[in-house]
Short mmCIF file of all heavy atoms in Angstrom, two decimals:
data_model
loop_
_atom_site.label_atom_id
_atom_site.label_comp_id
_atom_site.label_asym_id
_atom_site.label_seq_id
_atom_site.Cartn_x
_atom_site.Cartn_y
_atom_site.Cartn_z
N SER A 1 114.53 99.08 81.39
CA SER A 1 114.84 98.05 80.39
C SER A 1 113.57 97.45 79.84
O SER A 1 112.57 97.35 80.56
CB SER A 1 115.71 96.97 80.98
OG SER A 1 115.96 95.94 80.06
N CYS A 2 113.64 97.05 78.58
CA CYS A 2 112.53 96.34 77.91
C CYS A 2 112.94 94.90 77.71
O CYS A 2 112.15 94.10 77.12
CB CYS A 2 112.22 97.00 76.58
SG CYS A 2 111.64 98.68 76.71
N GLU A 3 114.14 94.53 78.12
CA GLU A 3 114.60 93.16 77.83
C GLU A 3 114.21 92.21 78.94
O GLU A 3 113.71 92.59 79.98
CB GLU A 3 116.12 93.15 77.60
CG GLU A 3 116.97 93.50 78.80
CD GLU A 3 118.42 93.75 78.46
OE1 GLU A 3 119.10 92.82 78.02
OE2 GLU A 3 118.87 94.91 78.64
N LEU A 4 114.44 90.93 78.70
CA LEU A 4 114.17 89.91 79.68
C LEU A 4 115.04 90.12 80.93
O LEU A 4 116.26 90.45 80.81
CB LEU A 4 114.50 88.52 79.05
CG LEU A 4 113.97 87.29 79.71
CD1 LEU A 4 112.46 87.30 79.75
CD2 LEU A 4 114.47 86.07 78.92
N LEU A 5 114.45 90.04 82.10
CA LEU A 5 115.16 90.38 83.34
C LEU A 5 116.46 89.56 83.50
O LEU A 5 117.49 90.10 83.89
CB LEU A 5 114.23 90.19 84.53
CG LEU A 5 114.83 90.46 85.91
CD1 LEU A 5 115.40 91.87 86.01
CD2 LEU A 5 113.78 90.20 87.01
N ALA A 6 116.40 88.27 83.22
CA ALA A 6 117.61 87.44 83.38
C ALA A 6 118.72 87.88 82.44
O ALA A 6 119.91 87.87 82.83
CB ALA A 6 117.26 85.96 83.08
N ASP A 7 118.38 88.35 81.25
CA ASP A 7 119.38 88.85 80.34
C ASP A 7 119.90 90.22 80.79
O ASP A 7 121.09 90.49 80.71
CB ASP A 7 118.83 88.97 78.91
CG ASP A 7 118.51 87.62 78.30
OD1 ASP A 7 119.11 86.62 78.71
OD2 ASP A 7 117.67 87.58 77.38
N TYR A 8 119.01 91.05 81.29
CA TYR A 8 119.44 92.38 81.81
C TYR A 8 120.41 92.17 82.98
O TYR A 8 121.46 92.83 83.02
CB TYR A 8 118.18 93.14 82.27
CG TYR A 8 118.54 94.49 82.93
CD1 TYR A 8 118.79 95.61 82.17
CD2 TYR A 8 118.64 94.60 84.31
CE1 TYR A 8 119.12 96.80 82.74
CE2 TYR A 8 118.98 95.78 84.88
CZ TYR A 8 119.22 96.90 84.12
OH TYR A 8 119.57 98.09 84.69
N ALA A 9 120.08 91.26 83.87
CA ALA A 9 120.96 91.00 85.02
C ALA A 9 122.35 90.52 84.55
O ALA A 9 123.37 90.94 85.12
CB ALA A 9 120.31 89.95 85.94
N ARG A 10 122.36 89.65 83.55
CA ARG A 10 123.65 89.14 83.03
C ARG A 10 124.46 90.33 82.47
O ARG A 10 125.63 90.46 82.75
CB ARG A 10 123.39 88.12 81.96
CG ARG A 10 124.69 87.49 81.40
CD ARG A 10 124.42 86.46 80.31
NE ARG A 10 123.74 85.30 80.83
CZ ARG A 10 122.52 84.88 80.50
NH1 ARG A 10 121.81 85.57 79.62
NH2 ARG A 10 121.98 83.81 81.01
N ARG A 11 123.81 91.17 81.73
CA ARG A 11 124.49 92.32 81.08
C ARG A 11 125.05 93.31 82.14
O ARG A 11 126.10 93.91 81.94
CB ARG A 11 123.52 93.04 80.14
CG ARG A 11 124.11 94.16 79.36
CD ARG A 11 123.19 94.62 78.23
NE ARG A 11 121.89 95.13 78.64
CZ ARG A 11 121.68 96.35 79.16
NH1 ARG A 11 122.69 97.19 79.31
NH2 ARG A 11 120.47 96.73 79.49
N LYS A 12 124.32 93.46 83.24
CA LYS A 12 124.75 94.36 84.31
C LYS A 12 125.59 93.71 85.39
O LYS A 12 125.90 94.35 86.41
CB LYS A 12 123.48 94.97 84.97
CG LYS A 12 122.74 95.93 84.05
CD LYS A 12 123.55 97.17 83.79
CE LYS A 12 122.73 98.27 83.27
NZ LYS A 12 123.46 99.54 83.22
N ASP A 13 125.96 92.44 85.20
CA ASP A 13 126.71 91.68 86.20
C ASP A 13 126.01 91.55 87.53
O ASP A 13 126.60 91.48 88.59
CB ASP A 13 128.11 92.30 86.43
CG ASP A 13 128.99 92.20 85.20
OD1 ASP A 13 128.92 91.19 84.50
OD2 ASP A 13 129.75 93.15 84.94
N GLY A 14 124.68 91.51 87.43
CA GLY A 14 123.87 91.33 88.66
C GLY A 14 123.88 89.87 89.07
O GLY A 14 123.77 88.98 88.25
N CYS A 15 123.97 89.63 90.36
CA CYS A 15 124.00 88.27 90.89
C CYS A 15 122.69 87.92 91.61
O CYS A 15 122.38 86.77 91.85
CB CYS A 15 125.18 88.03 91.82
SG CYS A 15 125.21 89.09 93.27
N VAL A 16 121.90 88.97 91.94
CA VAL A 16 120.70 88.76 92.74
C VAL A 16 119.58 89.68 92.23
O VAL A 16 119.82 90.85 91.94
CB VAL A 16 120.92 89.04 94.23
CG1 VAL A 16 119.66 88.98 95.03
CG2 VAL A 16 121.91 88.09 94.83
N ILE A 17 118.39 89.11 92.19
CA ILE A 17 117.16 89.89 91.93
C ILE A 17 116.49 90.09 93.31
O ILE A 17 116.35 89.13 94.02
CB ILE A 17 116.20 89.14 91.00
CG1 ILE A 17 116.80 88.86 89.62
CG2 ILE A 17 114.88 89.89 90.85
CD1 ILE A 17 117.20 90.08 88.86
N VAL A 18 116.14 91.29 93.62
CA VAL A 18 115.43 91.58 94.88
C VAL A 18 113.97 91.70 94.57
O VAL A 18 113.58 92.47 93.66
CB VAL A 18 115.98 92.90 95.51
CG1 VAL A 18 115.13 93.28 96.72
CG2 VAL A 18 117.43 92.75 95.88
N LYS A 19 113.14 91.03 95.31
CA LYS A 19 111.68 91.12 95.16
C LYS A 19 111.08 91.37 96.53
O LYS A 19 111.42 90.70 97.51
CB LYS A 19 111.10 89.82 94.56
CG LYS A 19 111.61 89.50 93.14
CD LYS A 19 111.28 90.58 92.13
CE LYS A 19 109.81 90.53 91.76
NZ LYS A 19 109.45 91.30 90.57
N GLY A 20 110.19 92.32 96.57
CA GLY A 20 109.44 92.58 97.80
C GLY A 20 108.18 91.77 97.83
O GLY A 20 107.49 91.66 96.80
N LEU A 21 107.88 91.16 98.97
CA LEU A 21 106.67 90.34 99.12
C LEU A 21 105.76 91.01 100.15
O LEU A 21 106.18 91.28 101.29
CB LEU A 21 107.00 88.94 99.58
CG LEU A 21 107.83 88.06 98.65
CD1 LEU A 21 108.11 86.69 99.29
CD2 LEU A 21 107.13 87.88 97.32
N ARG A 22 104.52 91.25 99.76
CA ARG A 22 103.54 91.83 100.68
C ARG A 22 102.76 90.77 101.41
O ARG A 22 102.44 90.92 102.59
CB ARG A 22 102.60 92.73 99.93
CG ARG A 22 103.19 94.02 99.43
CD ARG A 22 102.24 94.75 98.59
NE ARG A 22 101.94 93.94 97.42
CZ ARG A 22 101.43 94.40 96.28
NH1 ARG A 22 101.11 95.64 96.21
NH2 ARG A 22 101.23 93.61 95.26
N ALA A 23 102.37 89.73 100.73
CA ALA A 23 101.55 88.71 101.35
C ALA A 23 101.90 87.36 100.72
O ALA A 23 102.61 87.29 99.71
CB ALA A 23 100.07 89.02 101.06
N GLY A 24 101.41 86.30 101.33
CA GLY A 24 101.68 84.96 100.85
C GLY A 24 101.26 84.78 99.41
O GLY A 24 101.90 84.05 98.66
N SER A 25 100.22 85.48 99.00
CA SER A 25 99.75 85.39 97.62
C SER A 25 100.77 85.87 96.62
O SER A 25 100.80 85.41 95.47
CB SER A 25 98.44 86.11 97.46
OG SER A 25 98.58 87.47 97.80
N ASP A 26 101.65 86.79 96.99
CA ASP A 26 102.72 87.24 96.11
C ASP A 26 103.74 86.16 95.84
O ASP A 26 104.35 86.12 94.81
CB ASP A 26 103.45 88.46 96.72
CG ASP A 26 102.68 89.76 96.73
OD1 ASP A 26 101.66 89.83 96.03
OD2 ASP A 26 103.12 90.69 97.41
N PHE A 27 103.94 85.27 96.86
CA PHE A 27 105.04 84.35 96.80
C PHE A 27 104.93 83.36 95.61
O PHE A 27 105.95 83.12 94.93
CB PHE A 27 105.16 83.55 98.09
CG PHE A 27 106.32 82.57 98.10
CD1 PHE A 27 107.63 83.00 98.21
CD2 PHE A 27 106.06 81.21 97.90
CE1 PHE A 27 108.65 82.08 98.17
CE2 PHE A 27 107.09 80.30 97.83
CZ PHE A 27 108.39 80.73 97.96
N GLU A 28 103.80 82.82 95.37
CA GLU A 28 103.68 81.78 94.32
C GLU A 28 104.15 82.30 92.99
O GLU A 28 104.96 81.62 92.31
CB GLU A 28 102.24 81.29 94.26
CG GLU A 28 102.09 80.08 93.36
CD GLU A 28 100.68 79.48 93.43
OE1 GLU A 28 100.08 79.49 94.49
OE2 GLU A 28 100.22 79.06 92.37
N ASN A 29 103.65 83.44 92.56
CA ASN A 29 104.03 84.01 91.30
C ASN A 29 105.53 84.40 91.28
O ASN A 29 106.23 84.11 90.31
CB ASN A 29 103.18 85.23 90.96
CG ASN A 29 103.46 85.79 89.61
OD1 ASN A 29 103.54 85.07 88.62
ND2 ASN A 29 103.63 87.10 89.53
N GLU A 30 105.95 85.02 92.37
CA GLU A 30 107.40 85.46 92.40
C GLU A 30 108.33 84.26 92.44
O GLU A 30 109.43 84.27 91.88
CB GLU A 30 107.64 86.36 93.60
CG GLU A 30 106.90 87.67 93.55
CD GLU A 30 107.32 88.60 92.40
OE1 GLU A 30 108.31 88.30 91.71
OE2 GLU A 30 106.63 89.60 92.22
N PHE A 31 107.94 83.19 93.13
CA PHE A 31 108.77 81.99 93.19
C PHE A 31 108.90 81.36 91.80
O PHE A 31 109.99 80.96 91.38
CB PHE A 31 108.13 80.97 94.15
CG PHE A 31 108.93 79.71 94.30
CD1 PHE A 31 110.11 79.67 95.03
CD2 PHE A 31 108.51 78.52 93.71
CE1 PHE A 31 110.84 78.52 95.15
CE2 PHE A 31 109.25 77.34 93.81
CZ PHE A 31 110.44 77.34 94.54
N GLN A 32 107.80 81.31 91.07
CA GLN A 32 107.84 80.78 89.68
C GLN A 32 108.76 81.65 88.82
O GLN A 32 109.56 81.09 88.04
CB GLN A 32 106.41 80.76 89.14
CG GLN A 32 106.34 80.16 87.75
CD GLN A 32 104.90 80.15 87.21
OE1 GLN A 32 104.09 80.95 87.61
NE2 GLN A 32 104.65 79.27 86.28
N MET A 33 108.66 82.96 88.94
CA MET A 33 109.52 83.83 88.12
C MET A 33 111.00 83.66 88.53
O MET A 33 111.86 83.67 87.66
CB MET A 33 109.07 85.29 88.31
CG MET A 33 107.77 85.57 87.62
SD MET A 33 107.09 87.22 87.92
CE MET A 33 108.45 88.29 87.49
N ALA A 34 111.24 83.45 89.83
CA ALA A 34 112.62 83.25 90.26
C ALA A 34 113.22 81.99 89.66
O ALA A 34 114.39 81.95 89.25
CB ALA A 34 112.66 83.17 91.80
N GLN A 35 112.42 80.92 89.60
CA GLN A 35 112.88 79.68 89.00
C GLN A 35 113.16 79.85 87.50
O GLN A 35 114.17 79.33 87.02
CB GLN A 35 111.83 78.58 89.22
CG GLN A 35 111.61 78.23 90.68
CD GLN A 35 112.89 77.72 91.32
OE1 GLN A 35 113.58 76.88 90.82
NE2 GLN A 35 113.20 78.29 92.48
N ILE A 36 112.34 80.56 86.81
CA ILE A 36 112.54 80.78 85.40
C ILE A 36 113.80 81.64 85.14
O ILE A 36 114.62 81.32 84.29
CB ILE A 36 111.29 81.43 84.74
CG1 ILE A 36 110.14 80.45 84.73
CG2 ILE A 36 111.59 81.98 83.35
CD1 ILE A 36 108.79 81.06 84.38
N ASN A 37 113.94 82.71 85.95
CA ASN A 37 115.15 83.55 85.81
C ASN A 37 116.42 82.76 86.07
O ASN A 37 117.41 82.92 85.36
CB ASN A 37 115.06 84.73 86.75
CG ASN A 37 114.11 85.81 86.26
OD1 ASN A 37 113.94 86.01 85.08
ND2 ASN A 37 113.46 86.48 87.22
N HIS A 38 116.39 81.88 87.06
CA HIS A 38 117.55 81.07 87.40
C HIS A 38 117.84 80.06 86.29
O HIS A 38 118.98 79.74 85.99
CB HIS A 38 117.35 80.36 88.73
CG HIS A 38 118.58 79.64 89.20
ND1 HIS A 38 119.71 80.29 89.64
CD2 HIS A 38 118.83 78.33 89.28
CE1 HIS A 38 120.62 79.40 89.98
NE2 HIS A 38 120.12 78.21 89.77
N LYS A 39 116.79 79.54 85.69
CA LYS A 39 116.96 78.59 84.54
C LYS A 39 117.63 79.27 83.36
O LYS A 39 118.53 78.72 82.72
CB LYS A 39 115.58 78.02 84.15
CG LYS A 39 115.62 77.06 83.03
CD LYS A 39 116.06 75.70 83.53
CE LYS A 39 115.86 74.65 82.44
NZ LYS A 39 116.57 73.45 82.74
#
């Protein structure tokens, strides 16, 4: 997909985004993205 992830999830009836975290440094960016997607 080339569309916004939150819109893609809505179109596909997705209820959860899965993100893999390797290190604590991944969390800050992924947490921010999770908040935006939920908004």
Side-chain angles (χ1 to χ4, degrees):
S1 178
C2 297
E3 66 192 296
L4 197 60
L5 179 57
D7 292 337
Y8 176 83
R10 183 181 293 116
R11 185 168 60 80
K12 291 293 196 170
D13 294 323
C15 61
V16 173
I17 299 298
V18 173
K19 297 300 286 194
L21 297 178
R22 290 174 296 199
S25 58
D26 286 347
F27 180 75
E28 188 173 323
N29 184 48
E30 295 296 351
F31 181 75
Q32 183 180 24
M33 289 174 53
Q35 295 301 311
I36 291 168
N37 285 327
H38 187 71
K39 181 78 170 166

